[in-house]
Amino acid sequence: MSFEVRESAQSVALCVDLTATQSIANNVITAVSWNVQPLWNRGFTWTGGTTVTFPEPGLYSITWDLSYATGVGTNRLTYLTRSGDTLHRWGQTNITPVAGVTTRVVGACILNMLQGSTASIFVFQNSGGALNIGGATDPLTCEWSIAKIANVV
């Protein structure tokens, strides 16, 4: 398999955010539910929710950042799954929070996606109670950005 960057590779991109607060239960892996209205969209069909469907095959750069409200505990985790595969966690990041400070967690990966492949971002926390992400948690908006960087040839 080889990759080739072509002009059309840059024509597919999506960026969605999370401006509403989402409550994440203690010790429960939860899919992030993103806004309906994307920040920008080139080539994707996006209606909001937890899953993105890729419109065409290619190599994609995928990044996301999330803000957890302040709280105790030892884990603020995020990762990406592809097409419902729960055995592999791409871009997994786990941060130990600092007391009294909003915890920002960033994940990134580059994946070869087939047309119709899906991706979802998951989070986990163990503060001892429910903890919010997004919304008023941090003045910086939580975002998920996807850009096609190469065609697979």
Side-chain angles (χ1 to χ4, degrees):
M1 178 184 307
S2 62
F3 300 99
E4 179 180 295
V5 177
R6 297 181 183 164
E7 183 62 32
S8 63
Q10 282 88 33
S11 66
V12 179
L14 176 70
C15 183
V16 295
D17 62 353
L18 176 64
T19 54
T21 299
Q22 182 177 349
S23 181
I24 307 302
N26 185 57
N27 285 325
V28 176
I29 295 171
T30 305
V32 177
S33 185
W34 301 90
N35 290 351
V36 172
Q37 183 62 42
L39 296 172
W40 42 263
N41 184 356
R42 295 170 73 190
F44 282 82
T45 300
W46 176 252
T47 57
T50 61
T51 304
V52 167
T53 301
F54 288 75
E56 59 184 61
L59 193 65
Y60 288 83
S61 172
I62 306 169
T63 62
W64 62 97
D65 61 273
L66 296 161
S67 292
Y68 284 87
T70 60
V72 296
T74 56
N75 295 295
R76 303 293 182 271
L77 179 106
T78 184
Y79 61 88
L80 178 139
T81 63
R82 177 171 56 180
S83 296
D85 177 1
T86 58
L87 296 177
H88 296 94
R89 296 177 174 185
W90 284 273
Q92 181 168 308
T93 305
N94 188 19
I95 302 291
T96 302
V98 175
V101 177
T102 299
T103 304
R104 195 148 188 87
V105 183
V106 177
C109 57
I110 295 176
L111 290 174
N112 184 21
M113 303 299 273
L114 300 174
Q115 182 175 4
S117 293
T118 61
S120 298
I121 304 295
F122 286 85
V123 292
F124 172 87
Q125 62 86 19
N126 66 347
S127 66
L131 199 62
N132 290 336
I133 60 171
T137 300
D138 191 314
L140 299 172
T141 302
C142 300
E143 290 182 356
W144 185 9
S145 299
I146 301 168
K148 184 174 180 184
I149 57 175
N151 291 314
V152 179
V153 292

